[in-house]
Amino acid sequence: MGKVAVAFASAAVVAACSVAAVMVRRRVKSRRKWRTVVEILKEFEEGCDAPVGRLRQVVDAMAVEMHAGLASEGGSKLKMLLTYVHDLPNGTEKGTYYALHLGGTYFRILRVHLGGERSYLDVQDVERHPIPSHLMNSTSEVLFDFLASSLERFIQKEGNESNSQGVIKELAFTFSFPVKHTCISSGVLIKWTKGFEISEMVGKDIAECLQGALNRRGLDIHVAALVNDTVGALSLGYYHDPDTVVAVVFGTGSNACYLERTDAIIKCQGLLTTSGSMVVNMEWGNFWSSHLPRTAYDIDLDAESSNPNDMGFEKMIAGLYLGDIVRRVILRMSQESDIFGPSSSVFSQPYVLRTNSVSAMHEDDTPELQEVARILRDLGVSDVPLKVRKLMVKICDVVTRRAARLAAAGIAGILKKIGRDGGGGITSGRSRGEMQMQRRTVVGVEGGLYMNYTMFREYMEEALVEILGEEVSQYVVVKAMEDGSSIGSALLVASSLQS
């Protein structure tokens, strides 16, 4: 072989070795990056771990905080608000009533006709609309004029009989925010949640605000009840099944209410009701305990929110926040390993990943996870490898499973407080040795997170059985209450007017 040929051969070998070395370095670098991602996931998964022992500690803490909130104003992070709802609908109600529901993402309007029997409940002309984002930080007048005009259009679609001049229409206003009631039809706003920020409304009577807007339009509509969404859900549940004593909403936000004995409401001594009980609005979103499995991502989300150091429990379990927790984990992974390439900057935008997208990715059962790929493409992130798409699903699973298990612990905490957990509960006015026979207990649940997210629902119900045990859990029935917050509020108007 000539010297030239040897030189060419040597050069070829060197070049091949160089290419091989580059490829090896790339593979090593890629593996190192993937190990970083796996370590981040493992750390996050450990931080979110909620074994049954830890959940039972959350249960105990919830029951104790409930007791403290009933004992004195400001005695607990749980506000334990009186609703002045004590006579729940029993099926004898008659007439036609309207409901307007202002929630976190949507507002709903509907008409309910009652025929005096439980089997005769006719829900008519339900309208559901997204809340225009500009209203969330507008003014009181702008917000309520919008609601009044929407209600006016709804009524104008009805027949002539419904539009008769001088005929007063009774309206239930379902308002999914903390309110301090003075009676069933009046209450002042304590604070906004779920992204609303109309500061001038804090301390104002919400029913009066809506009534004023209706009067300005000359509408013959009377705001007969101001009702929290959880209370509406409890009302509908009780209407169908008198064993319903708890209601919970898992939607944009989260809250719970339950039926409490009046003698257990120590902060209002001498409170008398014909039924001996009253529905208490817990405002449980602000619950906090050191036993909650909080991560660095939760701490950052809270610090950057519009209400830092507030609504800690809600920020771990509610639909407004789950997508952003997932986003924050993905963002850290992309910053430390660049697994999404240059388009990963999209994950720097707060709330760019919605919880409905988390649900869709989590429940994607296609072999190649095409729904995950589609959602990422819609965000501007293309050509994501299958193993990264699987990673996305896993993150969604960790976040949702933690949320659902904490939600179950919250429900179990209520059952413990009222002695429906098989252990006697924390009961005021009874001897500690007094034990109750296990009774059938129905928990009404409403909200888009629960109704539309199968994995959340399954994880929650599974955890409830784990916490209570098989023997007790067979007496606890979780029932979905579709549109319960709106329909149930209309039922409360009927019940209060006919009692």
Side-chain angles (χ1 to χ4, degrees), residues 62 70 81 104 119 156 159 186 223 288 353 383 387 389 403 425 441 489:
M62 179 69 78
L70 292 173
L81 301 171
S119 59
Q156 285 173 347
S186 179
V223 182
W288 187 252
L353 189 61
D383 302 322
K387 72 174 185 178
R389 299 201 294 273
T441 301
S489 298

Side-chain angles (χ1 to χ4, degrees), residues 313-464:
F313 190 51
E314 181 174 88
K315 286 171 181 172
M316 298 175 81
I317 66 172
L320 178 61
Y321 304 102
L322 300 189
D324 206 56
I325 297 171
V326 172
R327 176 193 70 83
R328 288 170 182 275
V329 178
I330 295 169
L331 178 62
R332 184 184 164 197
M333 288 178 171
S334 63
Q335 288 172 337
E336 296 197 17
S337 68
D338 198 29
I339 56 172
F340 292 100
S343 56
S344 63
S345 60
V346 69
F347 295 115
S348 298
Q349 301 174 38
Y351 298 96
V352 71
L353 189 61
R354 302 288 184 176
T355 299
N356 58 353
S357 296
V358 169
S359 170
M361 290 191 293
H362 191 190
E363 297 176 351
D364 185 356
D365 57 2
T366 60
E368 298 296 313
L369 297 178
Q370 285 127 335
E371 184 64 13
V372 177
R374 182 195 65 77
I375 290 168
L376 290 172
R377 276 198 308 274
D378 289 348
L379 291 172
V381 184
S382 303
D383 302 322
V384 177
L386 180 59
K387 72 174 185 178
V388 176
R389 299 201 294 273
K390 289 180 177 178
L391 177 75
M392 295 279 291
V393 173
K394 180 61 178 177
I395 298 167
C396 295
D397 182 73
V398 172
V399 171
T400 301
R401 189 170 187 271
R402 181 188 67 167
R405 290 178 70 80
L406 292 178
I411 293 171
I414 301 172
L415 299 181
K416 183 179 181 69
K417 168 63 183 70
I418 60 177
R420 301 288 187 106
D421 69 331
I426 298 178
T427 55
S428 177
R430 299 179 184 176
S431 65
R432 284 190 175 272
E434 183 182 353
M435 297 291 288
Q436 289 182 303
M437 293 289 290
Q438 191 64 41
R439 297 174 56 189
R440 180 176 179 271
T441 301
V442 178
V443 179
V445 185
E446 196 198 15
L449 185 63
Y450 179 84
M451 303 294 286
N452 302 324
Y453 197 163
T454 303
M455 291 302 297
F456 176 90
R457 186 166 63 246
E458 290 180 355
Y459 278 148
M460 189 196 85
E461 293 171 3
E462 174 188 89
L464 196 55

Side-chain angles (χ1 to χ4, degrees), residues 126-173:
V126 180
E127 287 189 2
R128 183 172 182 264
H129 304 284
I131 299 169
S133 57
H134 72 275
L135 293 179
M136 298 173 73
N137 56 6
S138 58
T139 66
S140 169
E141 187 171 334
V142 169
L143 174 63
F144 284 100
D145 280 349
F146 171 81
L147 295 176
S149 65
S150 299
L151 187 58
E152 182 178 29
R153 286 193 299 273
F154 177 86
I155 291 173
Q156 285 173 347
K157 293 179 182 178
E158 301 176 353
N160 293 331
E161 184 179 342
S162 296
N163 290 320
S164 301
Q165 290 294 318
V167 176
I168 300 295
K169 298 172 182 63
E170 301 292 349
L171 174 72
F173 184 25

Side-chain angles (χ1 to χ4, degrees), residues 88-98 111-122 124 168-171 224 239 487 489-499:
L88 290 163
N90 58 22
T92 62
E93 294 79 12
K94 296 181 180 179
T96 300
Y97 305 89
Y98 295 80
R111 186 172 72 250
V112 175
H113 185 66
L114 305 171
E117 299 176 9
R118 276 195 169 90
S119 59
Y120 193 90
L121 190 164
D122 185 18
Q124 304 166 339
I168 300 295
K169 298 172 182 63
E170 301 292 349
L171 174 72
Y239 181 85
I487 300 168
S489 298
L491 293 174
L492 280 174
V493 169
S495 178
S496 64
L497 293 175
Q498 294 173 31
S499 59

Side-chain angles (χ1 to χ4, degrees), residues 476-495:
V476 177
V477 181
V478 178
K479 283 188 177 180
M481 297 285 138
E482 184 128 23
D483 273 332
S485 52
S486 306
I487 300 168
S489 298
L491 293 174
L492 280 174
V493 169
S495 178

